[in-house]
Amino acid sequence: MINEELLKLKTNDYEHIALWKISGSKSELNKSIFLTHGAFSDRKICSKISRYFVNLGYTCWIMEWRNHGKSSKVKKKFNFETIAKYDIKTAFEYFFETLNIKNIACITHSGGGICLTMFLIRNQKYVSKVSSITMFSCQSFGACHSIKNYLKMLVSKFLSRILGYIPGKKIGLGPHDESYAMIKQWYDWNLLKNFKGENNYNYLKNMSLVKTPILSICSGGDTFIAPQKGCQDFLSAFGNPQNKLLFCSTTNGHSENYNHTRIILSRNSAKEIWPVVSQWIGRSQN
């Protein structure tokens, strides 16, 4: 039997984030995995893979961003950097300062990997406590590798600015809409080919500070949000020879050319990708 427990944690800017503890009879606290989703999404995209790992004896923790799932509905503007600065930091303080977990593995989808990267760069004391990272469909500055993608990004930003938000539910991106203030950061990173935050802080130049081994998983059908070239460039920026890129496509012997979401939650992913993630985590976690 798998248990789901909802915890509400207060952030330093007085919001509350939902942290779901997923565990079973074989789960061990010191075999913990932190999971988080990306834009337009919530815990559901991480739910199936978390149950897979619980059945292997892990305790899984799924964090939902503010304004997503069961977390606080906020009125003030926020972006990826806000998630890194407050939401992920609150979860990690709980893991290591309240629960005294020895180390933790991380699994992220899309923007969740971007936020985790920003958090670790700014909070280096936690880098040694992260035994491994698996990033599904993650990149922040390499989507515009062709004129077609650049124009598509430019048009998307223009339309989003006019609307004031991106209707994620209507266009099939996920269960949540996102504000223009949130997604503008991602548009600009890709259009300008940089990775800068508030006060012009250059995350790209500091990605090498994250020494944790990273498995980046991308897919043949994801040609705009997290294309292979973008994921490769993002992974290469860490400068760690231990890191590995896994490109999942029919030409590489996989069952399908996965899209942005099926890469983490489909039945085919469960059969041929999740076991690879399990091996990656097992290599590093004590």
Side-chain angles (χ1 to χ4, degrees), residues 15 67 73-78:
E15 300 297 344
N67 228 40
K73 307 305 176 189
V74 300
K75 295 181 179 180
K76 56 193 175 187
K77 292 181 179 179
F78 68 94

Side-chain angles (χ1 to χ4, degrees), residues 86-103:
Y86 295 106
D87 299 9
I88 294 182
K89 186 175 183 181
T90 299
F92 270 61
E93 287 175 348
Y94 178 71
F95 297 145
F96 298 110
E97 293 163 28
T98 300
L99 298 182
N100 293 314
I101 293 174
K102 183 179 179 183
N103 60 48

Side-chain angles (χ1 to χ4, degrees), residues 30-36 88-89 91-93 95-96 101-108 112-113 115-135 209-215 238 240 242-243 280-286:
N30 275 314
K31 283 182 64 177
S32 280
I33 300 175
F34 168 73
L35 303 96
T36 195
I88 294 182
K89 186 175 183 181
F92 270 61
E93 287 175 348
F95 297 145
F96 298 110
I101 293 174
K102 183 179 179 183
N103 60 48
I104 199 165
C106 296
I107 298 175
T108 64
C115 295
L116 178 65
T117 298
M118 300 169 88
F119 164 74
L120 290 174
I121 290 171
R122 291 283 206 171
N123 297 272
Q124 293 172 44
K125 69 177 182 178
Y126 291 115
V127 173
S128 63
K129 295 182 179 295
V130 179
S131 57
S132 71
I133 299 171
T134 301
M135 295 179 175
L209 295 173
V210 181
K211 306 296 185 182
T212 307
I214 300 170
L215 172 64
F238 290 100
N240 187 345
Q242 289 183 294
N243 292 347
W280 183 259
I281 292 173
R283 285 171 48 186
S284 304
Q285 194 166 47
N286 295 326

Side-chain angles (χ1 to χ4, degrees), residues 30 49 85 101 119 158 174 176 191 210 246-247 273 281 284:
N30 275 314
I49 194 170
K85 185 177 180 180
I101 293 174
F119 164 74
F158 176 73
H176 293 273
L191 288 168
V210 181
L246 177 61
F247 180 55
I273 300 175
I281 292 173
S284 304

